[in-house]
Amino acid sequence: MKIFVCLKQVPARDAALRLNAEANWVRETDLSFEINEPDVYALEEGLRLKEKHGGEVVVATLGPERATQALKEALAKGADRALHLSDPALQNLDAYATARALAAAVQQEKPDLALTGLQADDDGFGQTGVLMAEILDWPHSTIIMEIQAGEKTLKVKRELEGGYFQWIEVPLPAILTIQSGINKPRYATLKGILAAKNKPLQKLSLKDLGLPAEAVSPRQRISKVYVPQKSGRVEFLEGTAREVARSLVEKLRNEARVM
Amino acid sequence: MADRILVVAEDQEGRLARAAWEAVAAGQSIARAFGAAVVTAVAGANVASLANELAGAEISESLALTSPLLEDYTAEGFTAALAPVIERQRPRFVVFSHTYQTRDFAPRLAARFSKALIGDCLGYRREGDRAIFVRPVFQGKLLADTEPLGDPPCFVSFQAGTFREDSVRRSAQPAPVTAIAASLSSEAIRTHPGERFREAKQTVDLTQADIIVAVGRGIKSPENLELAKKLAEVLNAELGASRPICDSGWLPMDRQIGSSGQTVAPRLYVALGISGAIQHQVGMKGSRTIVAINKDNEAPIFEIATYGIVGDLFEVVPALIEEIKKAKTR
């Protein structure tokens, strides 16, 4: 089974975010980056399917030069090849343009299955995989918690609201978006890190993907990014650990009357 | 001709649940702001009664899209049923509630029109004739003003609770209901969904708990859960957790609170090291008193907390346990 895994490099979860000069995104200088957490689960699922059924895992990302780090990490974990959609025309795309670019790469690779995490933790679009499915005219399913692979179809467990699930049969080729927690992602081993150095990491431009510039023209624009206004409801307790503990107990007894 | 707004109302197990009415409320609000007319659409095998129910709202038309192939929800079936309606109606905005179902098919429908969904919005405003939608980014740490570019339609979904079900305007005169037989072929629906089910019966019913102590990533390691357990013990509380804790296997899944876990509303909710992503908030924001202890003063949990403590939970919680013990003996 040939599996195509889409990854995104996003600011590290604990990174302190500061706005850029235009106040339309965060400032990237001094920011540390990591593979988007849901994509880590998608990669792990791809690697497990390959280990069980044979085949190949190809990882792909869009992004500036720094994003190669995410691809190297994926190669170190066991992916076979990496594609970096690295054209300047492919930077800071909106959800539709991102999906167009990735779908073009999928068309060239012709995998049996493409996986994405269920959302990117930075822009939170949560739809790249679904958009790709429509662009490719492939079936898809979202928020997947288990995959049972057959010869020509998959049985996948989709998470629904309120603790419900359902099994869905999806014929291949297909796209799935993977829910966090589906597996326990591995760490890269030293052997894996060394092996990664000899694995192919290919750069692709818009032209390589066979896309005209208008295919990735923006359909939406972020004009401003800002910190949410505080509701003002919260009462902050300040002081040493002992002082805040004391005043909290006081308030829970006398104001909230919950103790 | 006035602009049209198409509201896609979700049929949840044969009913119009809160999500459907919140979408109607969102559509009505945008319609007033832009002088537009609202058309609702509901899709399914038997949705005539739901379309009649929607017609009681202040809208211009209620569409029932029916086909036996819409009996079970599929992304491909719903996309194929709604796309021709959008082509005919030419709405300026197509409005959804941001449910799991919307997340599953609305981007597919949007992509059929070479668009994406402006998803998970927390509001909108009108500037001139432009619409600006407000979305959370970076897990709610920041908000982004997002503007659709190019020709309509613009596909937009709103987060639960952004518009209120009880703000839906009703009309004394029901709107016309139009039944549309969706022309679908079974070959166009390649996925085959099974029955909805729950995992082995939940052993812990957090919904009945009076007090809940819940832990998030800030607890750092499974060994540190002991501290949370001690606090729960002195408070006579149940222990709950945010999703990442259960994903990591540190606590069983039946302790999970949030959109994919249990929805709770205890008298007291103590959030330890929980940042308060929206998926967690929807499961606990109905709690009467919320105490949040987190080292990050920007954590979204403080948006909904009653009492906030910015600090190291490994210092604050032991002190809190001591103070509670003291208070009990007093």
Side-chain angles (χ1 to χ4, degrees), chain A residues 145-146 157 163-165, chain B residues 197-202:
Chain A
M145 282 301 281
E146 194 178 332
K157 186 171 150 193
Y164 280 90
F165 297 90
Chain B
F197 66 94
R198 273 197 157 140
E199 296 290 5
K201 206 167 160 48
Q202 285 176 339

Short mmCIF file of all heavy atoms in Angstrom, two decimals, chain A residues 145-146 157 163-165, chain B residues 197-202:
data_model
loop_
_atom_site.label_atom_id
_atom_site.label_comp_id
_atom_site.label_asym_id
_atom_site.label_seq_id
_atom_site.Cartn_x
_atom_site.Cartn_y
_atom_site.Cartn_z
N MET A 145 -10.56 7.10 14.11
CA MET A 145 -9.97 6.55 15.32
C MET A 145 -9.41 5.15 15.13
O MET A 145 -8.79 4.59 16.04
CB MET A 145 -11.01 6.52 16.45
CG MET A 145 -11.25 7.86 17.11
SD MET A 145 -9.76 8.55 17.85
CE MET A 145 -9.65 7.60 19.38
N GLU A 146 -9.69 4.51 13.99
CA GLU A 146 -9.14 3.17 13.73
C GLU A 146 -9.25 2.87 12.25
O GLU A 146 -10.23 3.27 11.61
CB GLU A 146 -9.90 2.11 14.55
CG GLU A 146 -9.20 0.76 14.59
CD GLU A 146 -9.95 -0.26 15.46
OE1 GLU A 146 -10.66 0.15 16.40
OE2 GLU A 146 -9.80 -1.47 15.17
N LYS A 157 -13.10 3.69 11.60
CA LYS A 157 -13.97 4.06 12.71
C LYS A 157 -13.95 5.58 12.84
O LYS A 157 -12.91 6.17 13.15
CB LYS A 157 -13.45 3.41 13.99
CG LYS A 157 -14.34 3.59 15.19
CD LYS A 157 -13.80 2.70 16.30
CE LYS A 157 -14.09 3.27 17.65
NZ LYS A 157 -13.29 2.57 18.68
N GLY A 163 -19.52 11.05 22.21
CA GLY A 163 -19.04 9.72 22.56
C GLY A 163 -19.51 8.62 21.62
O GLY A 163 -19.31 7.45 21.91
N TYR A 164 -20.16 8.97 20.52
CA TYR A 164 -20.58 7.96 19.54
C TYR A 164 -19.51 7.76 18.46
O TYR A 164 -18.67 8.63 18.22
CB TYR A 164 -21.88 8.38 18.85
CG TYR A 164 -23.11 8.11 19.69
CD1 TYR A 164 -23.58 9.08 20.57
CD2 TYR A 164 -23.77 6.89 19.61
CE1 TYR A 164 -24.70 8.84 21.35
CE2 TYR A 164 -24.88 6.64 20.38
CZ TYR A 164 -25.35 7.62 21.25
OH TYR A 164 -26.45 7.38 22.02
N PHE A 165 -19.58 6.58 17.85
CA PHE A 165 -18.68 6.24 16.73
C PHE A 165 -19.52 5.57 15.65
O PHE A 165 -20.64 5.16 15.88
CB PHE A 165 -17.60 5.27 17.19
CG PHE A 165 -16.69 5.83 18.24
CD1 PHE A 165 -16.98 5.68 19.59
CD2 PHE A 165 -15.54 6.52 17.88
CE1 PHE A 165 -16.15 6.20 20.57
CE2 PHE A 165 -14.71 7.05 18.85
CZ PHE A 165 -15.01 6.89 20.20
N PHE B 197 -22.70 3.85 17.29
CA PHE B 197 -22.61 3.05 18.52
C PHE B 197 -21.74 3.76 19.54
O PHE B 197 -21.00 4.68 19.20
CB PHE B 197 -22.04 1.65 18.22
CG PHE B 197 -20.61 1.67 17.77
CD1 PHE B 197 -19.57 1.50 18.68
CD2 PHE B 197 -20.29 1.87 16.42
CE1 PHE B 197 -18.24 1.52 18.26
CE2 PHE B 197 -18.96 1.89 16.00
CZ PHE B 197 -17.94 1.71 16.92
N ARG B 198 -21.89 3.33 20.78
CA ARG B 198 -21.02 3.81 21.85
C ARG B 198 -20.08 2.70 22.26
O ARG B 198 -20.43 1.53 22.15
CB ARG B 198 -21.85 4.22 23.07
CG ARG B 198 -22.32 5.64 22.96
CD ARG B 198 -22.76 6.13 24.32
NE ARG B 198 -22.68 7.58 24.35
CZ ARG B 198 -23.59 8.35 24.92
NH1 ARG B 198 -24.60 7.82 25.55
NH2 ARG B 198 -23.46 9.65 24.90
N GLU B 199 -18.91 3.05 22.75
CA GLU B 199 -17.99 2.05 23.28
C GLU B 199 -18.62 1.42 24.51
O GLU B 199 -19.60 1.91 25.04
CB GLU B 199 -16.66 2.70 23.67
CG GLU B 199 -15.90 3.30 22.52
CD GLU B 199 -15.31 2.26 21.56
OE1 GLU B 199 -15.57 1.06 21.75
OE2 GLU B 199 -14.60 2.66 20.63
N ALA B 200 -18.04 0.31 24.95
CA ALA B 200 -18.50 -0.39 26.15
C ALA B 200 -18.98 0.65 27.16
O ALA B 200 -18.33 1.66 27.37
CB ALA B 200 -17.36 -1.20 26.74
N LYS B 201 -20.10 0.35 27.76
CA LYS B 201 -20.79 1.31 28.60
C LYS B 201 -19.85 2.09 29.50
O LYS B 201 -18.94 1.54 30.10
CB LYS B 201 -21.83 0.58 29.45
CG LYS B 201 -22.95 1.50 29.83
CD LYS B 201 -24.12 0.72 30.39
CE LYS B 201 -25.02 1.62 31.21
NZ LYS B 201 -25.36 2.87 30.53
N GLN B 202 -20.09 3.39 29.56
CA GLN B 202 -19.22 4.22 30.38
C GLN B 202 -19.36 3.82 31.83
O GLN B 202 -20.46 3.68 32.34
CB GLN B 202 -19.60 5.69 30.20
CG GLN B 202 -19.11 6.22 28.87
CD GLN B 202 -19.54 7.63 28.61
OE1 GLN B 202 -20.50 8.10 29.21
NE2 GLN B 202 -18.85 8.30 27.72
#
